[in-house]
Amino acid sequence: MKHIKRIAPWVAAALIPLALPACKKDHSDGPDGASDKTTITIENVLDSRPLVESGAFQGTGTPALILPGQSAAITFSAAKGEAITFATMYGASNDLFFAPENPGILVYDQDGKPIEGDVSSQVKLWDNGTRINQAPGAGVVHPGTAENKNISEVSGTDAQGNTYLPASKLVKATLKYNGNSEFTLTLRNTSAGTTNETPLSPGVWAISYIAGGNLLNPSPLYVKGMSSANGLTSIAEAGNNMPLKTYISSITGIFTPLSPVLVVVYNGIEDPLFKVGENDRNEGLKELAQQGNANILAASLKTKSGIKSVYVLPAPNTTVLLPKIGELAGGNVSQEITVTKGDRVAIATMYGFSNDWFFATGADGIDPFKKGDASAAITLYNNGTAVDQFPGAGVTQFNLAGTPLTESKPIAVVPNPNPFTTLPGIPEMIKVTFK
């Protein structure tokens, strides 16, 4: 359960469902002055993480146990195919814990309809395999005698012959859909009065990104049949959720591809793509921002005066620029362009796992005669044509098999932090250079 070290099979397929050939419009004529050639390179330099969200939960008392009759709630966002998983100690045991079967509890059905109500049947009881079990109850000696076994499900009886009610009789799990891809999972300790009455410890929860129909990390907390790792033993033996919380926090963050990149050389006009504070011009930027399709905007730009060259640059062997995945570098694409003094360059590419966010140059574009890193000219914008959801966890995001919900607002800079998450700085996500 380490951070991804090599590319998964799904990465070979295009993450954004488009096959966009490069197109261009070139003119060698321009303002007075000699022309020059320069090469623009766009890179996805995001150091990606496989978990879109994670966190901790606990009871309200001191110590923060979830006692029989008490509850804890987890609020999260998710896209279709994503699942929530969690782990909490069966307190009156040596090393047992409650968790769903991997990859967790799915929150949408096959049609993309949110699942609500009692999902307790998906909660299981697991033996961490690091301590010999004693009869569950107040007489358990902590931590007990060590053993070295793999994680296994406890169903009815354990290896020592101790008996247990089904986990669903001890922990009630209820899903509620809050709207706009947000859910609340409530875990209630229902063990009171049973032969397995127990407190629940503070726990952790996690949700993996889904890309290309596959979860990036389908087993973030434990792997059945494998040794306990990454801090899970601290929960299972002592109810200490901090080591595992620290681990999952380290693999939680941003993951997004970048769509085929629109590159425009222009002269003597304002930014040909958009203006902050104005609504989308209905010339193709919406399709770029929502779907990663730059061809419509490229075709529109070819008809405008002041436009010298237009390119749509797909990445080699795929349609998108993938982020860094473990030790695998992010994708990049380059294009040689011909420019003359006074020319400006504008670029635009979709933040792939969003509803309608896009990276683009500002109102002044970029001076192509200034060699080196031009990433400071890039900003992340909200196109204002689709209702925003948690990036990478929105059921209406086009690249997560959704249909964007229409809205009509002026184009604006995406604030950071924003209502959903905190993003890295722009230079930590996209790099633009001229040489």
Side-chain angles (χ1 to χ4, degrees), residues 279-280 356 383-387 405-411:
N279 283 28
D280 182 88
D356 65 340
N383 189 239
T385 54
V387 176
L405 298 174
T406 301
E407 68 176 4
S408 181
K409 294 181 178 179
I411 295 172

PDB file of all heavy atoms in Angstrom, residues 279-280 356 383-387 405-411:
ATOM      1  N   ASN A 279     -19.169  36.842 -19.548  1.00  0.00           N
ATOM      2  CA  ASN A 279     -19.630  35.465 -19.729  1.00  0.00           C
ATOM      3  C   ASN A 279     -18.940  34.819 -20.929  1.00  0.00           C
ATOM      4  O   ASN A 279     -18.405  35.511 -21.807  1.00  0.00           O
ATOM      5  CB  ASN A 279     -21.140  35.432 -19.916  1.00  0.00           C
ATOM      6  CG  ASN A 279     -21.895  35.607 -18.611  1.00  0.00           C
ATOM      7  OD1 ASN A 279     -21.398  36.232 -17.680  1.00  0.00           O
ATOM      8  ND2 ASN A 279     -23.083  35.065 -18.525  1.00  0.00           N
ATOM      9  N   ASP A 280     -18.954  33.517 -20.941  1.00  0.00           N
ATOM     10  CA  ASP A 280     -18.400  32.757 -22.062  1.00  0.00           C
ATOM     11  C   ASP A 280     -18.984  33.272 -23.378  1.00  0.00           C
ATOM     12  O   ASP A 280     -20.172  33.568 -23.482  1.00  0.00           O
ATOM     13  CB  ASP A 280     -18.731  31.265 -21.874  1.00  0.00           C
ATOM     14  CG  ASP A 280     -18.143  30.408 -22.961  1.00  0.00           C
ATOM     15  OD1 ASP A 280     -16.999  29.979 -22.811  1.00  0.00           O
ATOM     16  OD2 ASP A 280     -18.854  30.166 -23.972  1.00  0.00           O
ATOM     17  N   ASP A 356     -15.703  22.889 -14.950  1.00  0.00           N
ATOM     18  CA  ASP A 356     -15.402  23.815 -16.048  1.00  0.00           C
ATOM     19  C   ASP A 356     -14.258  24.757 -15.707  1.00  0.00           C
ATOM     20  O   ASP A 356     -14.296  25.943 -16.015  1.00  0.00           O
ATOM     21  CB  ASP A 356     -16.654  24.621 -16.449  1.00  0.00           C
ATOM     22  CG  ASP A 356     -17.152  25.548 -15.344  1.00  0.00           C
ATOM     23  OD1 ASP A 356     -16.798  25.322 -14.163  1.00  0.00           O
ATOM     24  OD2 ASP A 356     -17.888  26.505 -15.658  1.00  0.00           O
ATOM     25  N   ASN A 383     -14.938  28.834 -15.842  1.00  0.00           N
ATOM     26  CA  ASN A 383     -15.643  29.288 -17.033  1.00  0.00           C
ATOM     27  C   ASN A 383     -17.063  29.795 -16.744  1.00  0.00           C
ATOM     28  O   ASN A 383     -17.647  30.503 -17.562  1.00  0.00           O
ATOM     29  CB  ASN A 383     -15.696  28.154 -18.059  1.00  0.00           C
ATOM     30  CG  ASN A 383     -16.222  28.591 -19.401  1.00  0.00           C
ATOM     31  OD1 ASN A 383     -17.217  28.067 -19.892  1.00  0.00           O
ATOM     32  ND2 ASN A 383     -15.569  29.557 -20.037  1.00  0.00           N
ATOM     33  N   GLY A 384     -17.642  29.404 -15.592  1.00  0.00           N
ATOM     34  CA  GLY A 384     -18.960  29.901 -15.224  1.00  0.00           C
ATOM     35  C   GLY A 384     -20.113  29.279 -15.963  1.00  0.00           C
ATOM     36  O   GLY A 384     -21.241  29.785 -15.895  1.00  0.00           O
ATOM     37  N   THR A 385     -19.867  28.166 -16.665  1.00  0.00           N
ATOM     38  CA  THR A 385     -20.935  27.538 -17.443  1.00  0.00           C
ATOM     39  C   THR A 385     -21.426  26.221 -16.858  1.00  0.00           C
ATOM     40  O   THR A 385     -22.375  25.632 -17.378  1.00  0.00           O
ATOM     41  CB  THR A 385     -20.463  27.285 -18.885  1.00  0.00           C
ATOM     42  OG1 THR A 385     -19.240  26.534 -18.855  1.00  0.00           O
ATOM     43  CG2 THR A 385     -20.232  28.600 -19.606  1.00  0.00           C
ATOM     44  N   ALA A 386     -20.785  25.739 -15.789  1.00  0.00           N
ATOM     45  CA  ALA A 386     -21.194  24.474 -15.159  1.00  0.00           C
ATOM     46  C   ALA A 386     -21.054  24.602 -13.650  1.00  0.00           C
ATOM     47  O   ALA A 386     -20.092  25.193 -13.155  1.00  0.00           O
ATOM     48  CB  ALA A 386     -20.345  23.309 -15.666  1.00  0.00           C
ATOM     49  N   VAL A 387     -22.003  24.052 -12.924  1.00  0.00           N
ATOM     50  CA  VAL A 387     -21.992  24.096 -11.464  1.00  0.00           C
ATOM     51  C   VAL A 387     -20.782  23.330 -10.947  1.00  0.00           C
ATOM     52  O   VAL A 387     -20.536  22.187 -11.343  1.00  0.00           O
ATOM     53  CB  VAL A 387     -23.289  23.497 -10.889  1.00  0.00           C
ATOM     54  CG1 VAL A 387     -23.239  23.456  -9.361  1.00  0.00           C
ATOM     55  CG2 VAL A 387     -24.501  24.306 -11.362  1.00  0.00           C
ATOM     56  N   LEU A 405     -23.959  20.315 -14.944  1.00  0.00           N
ATOM     57  CA  LEU A 405     -25.166  21.071 -14.647  1.00  0.00           C
ATOM     58  C   LEU A 405     -24.938  22.515 -15.081  1.00  0.00           C
ATOM     59  O   LEU A 405     -24.018  23.183 -14.621  1.00  0.00           O
ATOM     60  CB  LEU A 405     -25.474  21.015 -13.147  1.00  0.00           C
ATOM     61  CG  LEU A 405     -25.744  19.617 -12.563  1.00  0.00           C
ATOM     62  CD1 LEU A 405     -25.875  19.698 -11.046  1.00  0.00           C
ATOM     63  CD2 LEU A 405     -26.993  19.011 -13.183  1.00  0.00           C
ATOM     64  N   THR A 406     -25.806  23.010 -15.953  1.00  0.00           N
ATOM     65  CA  THR A 406     -25.601  24.318 -16.559  1.00  0.00           C
ATOM     66  C   THR A 406     -25.803  25.458 -15.567  1.00  0.00           C
ATOM     67  O   THR A 406     -26.730  25.445 -14.755  1.00  0.00           O
ATOM     68  CB  THR A 406     -26.569  24.501 -17.743  1.00  0.00           C
ATOM     69  OG1 THR A 406     -26.320  23.470 -18.701  1.00  0.00           O
ATOM     70  CG2 THR A 406     -26.370  25.848 -18.402  1.00  0.00           C
ATOM     71  N   GLU A 407     -24.925  26.442 -15.646  1.00  0.00           N
ATOM     72  CA  GLU A 407     -25.109  27.711 -14.969  1.00  0.00           C
ATOM     73  C   GLU A 407     -24.580  28.808 -15.888  1.00  0.00           C
ATOM     74  O   GLU A 407     -23.955  28.516 -16.913  1.00  0.00           O
ATOM     75  CB  GLU A 407     -24.392  27.755 -13.610  1.00  0.00           C
ATOM     76  CG  GLU A 407     -22.883  27.746 -13.682  1.00  0.00           C
ATOM     77  CD  GLU A 407     -22.224  27.895 -12.316  1.00  0.00           C
ATOM     78  OE1 GLU A 407     -22.943  27.920 -11.304  1.00  0.00           O
ATOM     79  OE2 GLU A 407     -20.978  27.980 -12.267  1.00  0.00           O
ATOM     80  N   SER A 408     -24.832  30.052 -15.563  1.00  0.00           N
ATOM     81  CA  SER A 408     -24.364  31.161 -16.390  1.00  0.00           C
ATOM     82  C   SER A 408     -23.831  32.261 -15.485  1.00  0.00           C
ATOM     83  O   SER A 408     -24.591  33.060 -14.930  1.00  0.00           O
ATOM     84  CB  SER A 408     -25.497  31.707 -17.271  1.00  0.00           C
ATOM     85  OG  SER A 408     -25.029  32.769 -18.096  1.00  0.00           O
ATOM     86  N   LYS A 409     -22.492  32.256 -15.330  1.00  0.00           N
ATOM     87  CA  LYS A 409     -21.823  33.242 -14.503  1.00  0.00           C
ATOM     88  C   LYS A 409     -20.628  33.794 -15.262  1.00  0.00           C
ATOM     89  O   LYS A 409     -20.106  33.152 -16.174  1.00  0.00           O
ATOM     90  CB  LYS A 409     -21.352  32.607 -13.186  1.00  0.00           C
ATOM     91  CG  LYS A 409     -22.481  32.153 -12.264  1.00  0.00           C
ATOM     92  CD  LYS A 409     -21.914  31.569 -10.973  1.00  0.00           C
ATOM     93  CE  LYS A 409     -23.016  31.157 -10.018  1.00  0.00           C
ATOM     94  NZ  LYS A 409     -22.474  30.569  -8.757  1.00  0.00           N
ATOM     95  N   PRO A 410     -20.152  34.980 -14.893  1.00  0.00           N
ATOM     96  CA  PRO A 410     -18.962  35.519 -15.544  1.00  0.00           C
ATOM     97  C   PRO A 410     -17.730  34.656 -15.277  1.00  0.00           C
ATOM     98  O   PRO A 410     -17.618  34.020 -14.226  1.00  0.00           O
ATOM     99  CB  PRO A 410     -18.804  36.906 -14.908  1.00  0.00           C
ATOM    100  CG  PRO A 410     -20.153  37.238 -14.363  1.00  0.00           C
ATOM    101  CD  PRO A 410     -20.752  35.935 -13.948  1.00  0.00           C
ATOM    102  N   ILE A 411     -16.820  34.656 -16.215  1.00  0.00           N
ATOM    103  CA  ILE A 411     -15.546  33.958 -16.037  1.00  0.00           C
ATOM    104  C   ILE A 411     -14.774  34.630 -14.908  1.00  0.00           C
ATOM    105  O   ILE A 411     -14.703  35.858 -14.829  1.00  0.00           O
ATOM    106  CB  ILE A 411     -14.738  33.986 -17.339  1.00  0.00           C
ATOM    107  CG1 ILE A 411     -15.475  33.181 -18.423  1.00  0.00           C
ATOM    108  CG2 ILE A 411     -13.332  33.425 -17.126  1.00  0.00           C
ATOM    109  CD1 ILE A 411     -14.863  33.315 -19.805  1.00  0.00           C
TER     110      ILE A 411
END
